[in-house]
Amino acid sequence: MMAKDAIAAAYEAVVRCARKDVKGDQTAGALLQLARSCLEYLGSACGRRSLTSRVPNKEYFAFEAKGSGRLSRPVNAALFDASSAAEGAPNVLAARVEDGRPQDLERILYTLGMSYCCAADVMKRQDRKTPGTFFEALVGHIVARTYGANPDRQVAVLNLDMQTSLPTDFVFDLGREKSRLHLPIKTSTRERVIQVWAHQRVLDGVYGVNRFRGILVCIAETNFQARDNSVIEVCLPGQWALYQMFIAQLHRVYYLDVPVKYGDLATTYPFIQVKPFAAFFREAQALISAPPAS
Amino acid sequence: MMAKDAIAAAYEAVVRCARKDVKGDQTAGALLQLARSCLEYLGSACGRRSLTSRVPNKEYFAFEAKGSGRLSRPVNAALFDASSAAEGAPNVLAARVEDGRPQDLERILYTLGMSYCCAADVMKRQDRKTPGTFFEALVGHIVARTYGANPDRQVAVLNLDMQTSLPTDFVFDLGREKSRLHLPIKTSTRERVIQVWAHQRVLDGVYGVNRFRGILVCIAETNFQARDNSVIEVCLPGQWALYQMFIAQLHRVYYLDVPVKYGDLATTYPFIQVKPFAAFFREAQALISAPPAS
């Protein structure tokens, strides 16, 4: 089978397994198979083109398909490590990460997340949908595995004489004594991010504030500028602060490659907690527990 | 000059004039020129293909380019009337509509709004951006002309030690004794519509409830299904009700072709006022005045 056909088949298996049981062993197996196929393809069928980084202390390259010359999205050179990822993936996909060093874990997660995205970039033009679906399955699986529970994709609304259902991103119900989680997952956010705060607001309004904790997970906010072969991070921290102040409160924002300006938000009002997704494993229980007195 | 080149040049003139002075005579002239070029092109270079309507009491067709066979979005047959539009456009673009019959006005507005959208559909594949920009200029011009004031695209936020600006859709400041307007304009909404309620929520939070009245203007919510040549209206009235209850309150939603299920929202809680855009001219002063006691 051609590498591209193998990747397409592995992608379809991920979608199929995740729809049935995102937490399950079959989903883990399909994600592992897909990541391996993609990393092999990127290593053998693509070169690397250096990009000019406009982001302090970060270096980027892009995969470049040997035949077509098509480029992938920008890849953070310090975080992409195919051999660590291949080795560490089985444990990460099983949510067994207690003994790892944080930097290793960040590299494994980033490389897994970018594997299919970059392969899709160089294989097809303008394919925005399948990388998003893949990344949602990957993060959904890891979170579901960590808590040992599958998420829902809608919640019932009962309000006086009104009865309807609200379609949502993944939501987790972990039992009476625990906070529920609202888990939107996006490869990047751009101007669409206000939707995440708005959905959180609806959940707060329908069910009460703090009943669902909002956890947004993203890959990165890089943007490639072809005219000078450079990479920037597209960030709107002032807008995020207004959304957090006036729409609803997100509990965490995790990135595989934390944008510099968003990382700074944790230290100024309204204190949006933006962190590497690797931190999720350490604080998974705290996220669903009663808050400490402040 | 080829018809397509004339349309492209007229479109560029609309964008240029609207950016400088959306209310101005030059914008009116450019919009008129563009609409005429498009209606002529649709009449001479395109045929009409009948579509199977799945919407009660509405009939649709699509323009079909004679060369490429490319189809436009679905067109409501009862509302599209090129000769009325050509005749009525100068008065509508000058916001002089006192004497018209409501149905005539609806047809003129619909035909103007669809003129460039359909031409762009059959001329280019997957051009979603320029129809949106055109429709924003058209509606922005009519509203600005009606009030005799140009809108802004951002508002200043001063909040304790924080000073930033919030980029917005068009906002109108009509003086101390008048309500301000928040005017998002979209060819159709789909799942992105929650952004409109979220932006309204931010404005309510920053400036106080009812300081800006939210007025959403759209063309239609039709969707063409190629597999059986049919047209449906994609509506989520239950979601809209939740947004209106739990995010913020839109004051009006105007459509050029009111979707059946959204038109019904005005009569059930939470009473979202969805109307034909033709009604705007009658109620323009009420929209910016103190509310009547209820």
Side-chain angles (χ1 to χ4, degrees):
Chain A
M1 190 154 49
M2 297 275 292
K4 288 185 185 186
D5 296 333
I7 290 171
Y11 169 79
E12 292 304 329
V14 165
V15 172
R16 202 169 50 243
C17 295
R19 198 181 295 136
K20 248 169 57 187
D21 177 14
V22 73
K23 165 172 77 66
D25 289 338
Q26 292 201 319
T27 303
L31 283 164
L32 191 61
Q33 176 63 45
L34 177 57
R36 281 183 177 152
S37 304
C38 291
L39 292 174
E40 192 183 305
Y41 174 77
L42 293 170
S44 63
C46 299
R48 295 185 179 197
R49 186 207 279 191
S50 301
L51 307 177
T52 305
S53 171
R54 308 259 181 245
V55 185
N57 303 318
K58 294 189 184 182
E59 294 303 322
Y60 295 93
F61 66 88
F63 288 103
E64 185 169 20
K66 280 175 187 164
S68 69
R70 226 173 273 153
L71 291 180
S72 75
R73 63 196 67 197
V75 180
N76 184 317
L79 288 173
F80 194 93
D81 179 349
S83 57
S84 296
E87 197 184 311
N91 277 338
V92 166
L93 291 172
R96 282 192 305 263
V97 298
E98 295 82 3
D99 304 327
R101 290 187 307 162
Q103 293 90 332
D104 291 344
L105 187 53
E106 285 181 38
R107 275 199 293 273
I108 295 166
L109 288 166
Y110 181 81
T111 309
L112 285 177
M114 291 291 277
S115 62
Y116 177 73
C117 298
C118 290
D121 289 342
V122 299
M123 283 172 7
K124 290 200 248 181
R125 238 183 265 262
Q126 298 281 339
D127 178 3
R128 287 187 197 142
K129 193 164 170 290
T130 70
T133 304
F134 155 75
F135 185 57
E136 191 176 66
L138 175 67
V139 174
H141 172 76
I142 289 172
V143 174
R145 195 81 175 198
T146 300
Y147 292 117
N150 267 324
D152 289 314
R153 300 223 60 147
Q154 58 175 31
V155 286
V157 178
L158 300 169
N159 182 301
L160 301 178
D161 58 349
M162 179 180 177
Q163 183 172 345
T164 181
S165 66
L166 179 66
T168 59
D169 298 290
F170 287 139
V171 286
F172 287 87
D173 173 3
L174 302 167
R176 279 185 66 84
E177 305 301 316
K178 301 295 180 186
S179 232
R180 284 155 203 253
L181 295 183
H182 165 220
L183 185 74
I185 299 165
K186 319 225 171 251
T187 56
S188 72
T189 68
R190 301 293 191 274
E191 73 287 355
R192 306 179 307 275
V193 76
I194 194 171
Q195 293 181 356
V196 173
W197 271 274
H199 281 126
Q200 181 65 39
R201 171 89 203 169
V202 173
L203 292 171
D204 288 355
V206 172
Y207 302 103
V209 172
N210 241 329
R211 192 86 151 135
F212 285 86
R213 288 191 180 146
I215 316 270
L216 169 62
V217 186
C218 309
I219 298 183
E221 301 290 357
T222 53
N223 194 41
F224 174 64
Q225 305 187 293
R227 66 171 185 280
D228 62 356
N229 199 51
S230 73
V231 181
I232 58 168
E233 285 182 332
V234 180
C235 293
L236 297 164
Q239 309 303 310
W240 281 37
L242 290 176
Y243 302 160
Q244 184 82 353
M245 289 163 74
F246 293 112
I247 301 179
Q249 286 70 55
L250 295 186
H251 195 70
R252 285 288 183 282
V253 182
Y254 292 121
Y255 275 93
L256 300 190
D257 175 12
V258 179
V260 174
K261 286 184 184 166
Y262 289 155
D264 295 344
L265 285 170
T267 57
T268 51
Y269 183 82
F271 309 109
I272 306 174
Q273 299 294 320
V274 183
K275 303 184 178 188
F277 183 49
F280 164 75
F281 296 93
R282 290 196 302 281
E283 57 192 19
Q285 291 312 312
L287 291 179
I288 58 168
S289 304
S294 60
Chain B
M1 190 153 49
M2 295 276 291
K4 288 185 185 186
D5 296 334
I7 290 171
Y11 169 80
E12 292 304 328
V14 165
V15 172
R16 202 168 52 242
C17 296
R19 199 181 294 136
K20 247 169 59 186
D21 177 13
V22 74
K23 164 172 77 65
D25 290 337
Q26 292 202 319
T27 302
L31 283 164
L32 191 60
Q33 177 64 47
L34 178 57
R36 282 182 176 152
S37 304
C38 291
L39 293 174
E40 194 183 302
Y41 174 78
L42 292 170
S44 63
C46 298
R48 294 185 180 196
R49 185 207 278 192
S50 301
L51 306 177
T52 304
S53 171
R54 307 258 181 247
V55 186
N57 303 317
K58 294 189 183 184
E59 294 303 321
Y60 295 93
F61 66 87
F63 287 103
E64 185 168 19
K66 282 177 187 163
S68 68
R70 226 175 272 153
L71 291 180
S72 75
R73 62 196 67 195
V75 180
N76 183 317
L79 288 172
F80 193 92
D81 179 349
S83 58
S84 297
E87 198 184 311
N91 278 339
V92 166
L93 291 173
R96 283 192 307 263
V97 298
E98 295 81 2
D99 304 327
R101 290 187 306 162
Q103 293 89 333
D104 291 344
L105 187 53
E106 285 181 38
R107 275 199 293 274
I108 296 166
L109 288 166
Y110 180 80
T111 309
L112 285 177
M114 291 290 277
S115 61
Y116 177 74
C117 298
C118 290
D121 289 342
V122 299
M123 283 170 11
K124 290 199 248 181
R125 238 183 264 263
Q126 298 280 338
D127 178 3
R128 286 189 198 142
K129 193 164 170 288
T130 70
T133 304
F134 155 75
F135 185 57
E136 191 176 66
L138 175 67
V139 174
H141 172 76
I142 289 172
V143 174
R145 196 80 174 202
T146 300
Y147 293 117
N150 267 324
D152 289 315
R153 299 224 60 148
Q154 58 174 33
V155 286
V157 179
L158 300 169
N159 183 302
L160 302 178
D161 59 348
M162 179 180 176
Q163 183 171 346
T164 181
S165 66
L166 179 66
T168 60
D169 297 290
F170 287 139
V171 286
F172 287 86
D173 173 3
L174 302 166
R176 279 186 64 84
E177 305 302 314
K178 301 294 182 187
S179 230
R180 285 155 202 253
L181 294 183
H182 166 220
L183 185 74
I185 300 165
K186 320 225 171 249
T187 56
S188 72
T189 68
R190 301 292 191 275
E191 73 288 354
R192 306 180 307 277
V193 76
I194 194 172
Q195 293 181 356
V196 173
W197 270 273
H199 281 124
Q200 182 64 39
R201 170 89 203 170
V202 174
L203 292 171
D204 288 355
V206 172
Y207 302 103
V209 171
N210 240 329
R211 193 88 150 131
F212 285 86
R213 288 192 180 145
I215 316 269
L216 169 62
V217 185
C218 309
I219 297 182
E221 301 291 357
T222 52
N223 194 41
F224 173 64
Q225 305 187 293
R227 66 171 185 281
D228 62 355
N229 199 51
S230 73
V231 182
I232 57 169
E233 286 183 330
V234 180
C235 294
L236 297 164
Q239 309 302 309
W240 281 37
L242 290 175
Y243 303 159
Q244 184 82 353
M245 289 163 73
F246 293 112
I247 301 178
Q249 286 69 54
L250 295 187
H251 195 70
R252 284 287 184 284
V253 182
Y254 292 122
Y255 275 93
L256 300 190
D257 175 12
V258 179
V260 174
K261 286 185 184 166
Y262 289 156
D264 295 344
L265 285 170
T267 58
T268 50
Y269 183 82
F271 308 109
I272 306 175
Q273 299 293 321
V274 183
K275 303 184 180 190
F277 183 48
F280 164 74
F281 297 94
R282 291 196 302 280
E283 56 191 18
Q285 291 311 312
L287 291 179
I288 58 168
S289 304
S294 59

